[in-house]
Amino acid sequence: MSLTDTVIRNAKPAAKAARLFDGGGLYLEIAPSGGRLWRFKYRFDGKEKRLSIGVYPAVSLAQAREEREKARELLAKDPPIDPGTAKREAKIARAVAATNTFEAAAREFHASKAGVWSMIYAKRWLERLAKDLFPYIGKMPLSEIKPPMLLDALRRVEARGAIDHAHTLRQYAVQIFRYGRQTGRCEHDPAADLQGALKPVI
């Protein structure tokens, strides 16, 4: 019989971990402490395995069922894909993506110049980026930033009359994208493509 939210809410912790089964390999494990964790039991390559889906009620019954179906779809592929392996790979990919953003690369590059740049220059370099580029492209992966996106951010600086500042920011971006290429985060430098695109400094 399938689970319901009422059954889950009324279930009490016991001296030993208990399991409430929903069907299709999905069950809710209730620890003696009262914690409730969704798990999916399956077989892969002849071995029984379990996939942790999430904690109830943060992960609802409906959401747990959706994750179960996604896992079953992976197992039904030809060749089958281990849902546990797929989850670990996705977690690693998210962690890598978090270090591939424009802001992450900029801060890493900035840190690498400690002891090389003067404290005043280093402070000004990061403050300018934080004010004028991070809000617009900071969270984007370097490889996904196109020249028009960077130009749009620089145009905002131009619009307030800070022409020289806009050119300086483009040069900062050139440094960051060069560093991104050196560290394997991107293959192209959109900042270099903007040579001549900004208003000239008079």
Side-chain angles (χ1 to χ4, degrees):
M1 187 174 72
S2 299
L3 287 175
T4 65
D5 283 310
T6 300
V7 169
I8 295 172
R9 285 195 299 268
N10 291 336
K12 305 299 182 183
K16 295 183 179 180
R19 296 175 180 175
L20 300 179
F21 291 90
D22 186 58
L26 178 67
Y27 66 90
L28 184 69
E29 186 172 278
I30 304 177
S33 62
R36 299 166 187 235
L37 177 66
W38 289 111
R39 292 185 184 275
F40 172 64
K41 183 172 69 173
Y42 64 99
R43 296 189 70 83
F44 186 83
D45 199 20
K47 298 178 182 178
E48 184 176 288
K49 295 189 172 186
R50 286 173 173 76
L51 175 70
S52 295
I53 294 178
V55 177
Y56 179 89
V59 176
S60 68
L61 173 59
Q63 291 171 324
R65 286 171 174 166
E66 287 180 11
E67 293 303 314
R68 174 191 60 194
E69 294 311 306
K70 290 178 183 177
R72 293 178 70 177
E73 288 174 6
L74 291 176
L75 291 167
K77 288 183 178 294
D78 186 17
I81 297 175
D82 186 342
T85 300
K87 182 178 181 179
R88 288 192 295 274
E89 291 176 347
K91 183 178 180 179
I92 292 172
R94 288 193 298 272
V96 171
T99 67
N100 285 348
T101 65
F102 181 83
E103 181 174 347
R107 291 185 180 280
E108 186 178 310
F109 175 70
H110 177 265
S112 74
K113 295 303 179 181
V116 179
W117 290 349
S118 70
M119 291 182 63
I120 294 176
Y121 178 77
K123 183 174 183 291
R124 183 172 67 246
W125 190 91
L126 194 58
E127 285 178 344
R128 287 177 170 178
L129 287 168
K131 178 182 178 182
D132 292 314
L133 291 188
F134 289 171
Y136 305 105
I137 61 173
K139 303 305 179 185
M140 296 183 64
L142 287 177
S143 59
E144 294 182 12
I145 298 174
K146 307 302 181 186
M149 299 174 185
L150 177 56
L151 181 60
D152 179 68
L154 295 174
R155 291 283 192 217
R156 295 171 186 270
V157 180
E158 278 188 338
R160 65 173 191 257
I163 309 301
D164 185 67
H165 184 42
H167 281 268
T168 298
L169 283 169
R170 189 188 75 83
Q171 288 302 319
Y172 290 176
V174 167
Q175 293 175 314
I176 295 164
F177 281 105
R178 182 187 300 123
Y179 181 72
R181 293 171 65 184
Q182 293 168 343
T183 55
R185 288 175 165 95
C186 63
E187 297 181 357
H188 188 68
D189 177 6
D193 290 342
L194 297 183
Q195 178 70 39
L198 298 173
K199 295 178 181 179
V201 178
I202 300 175

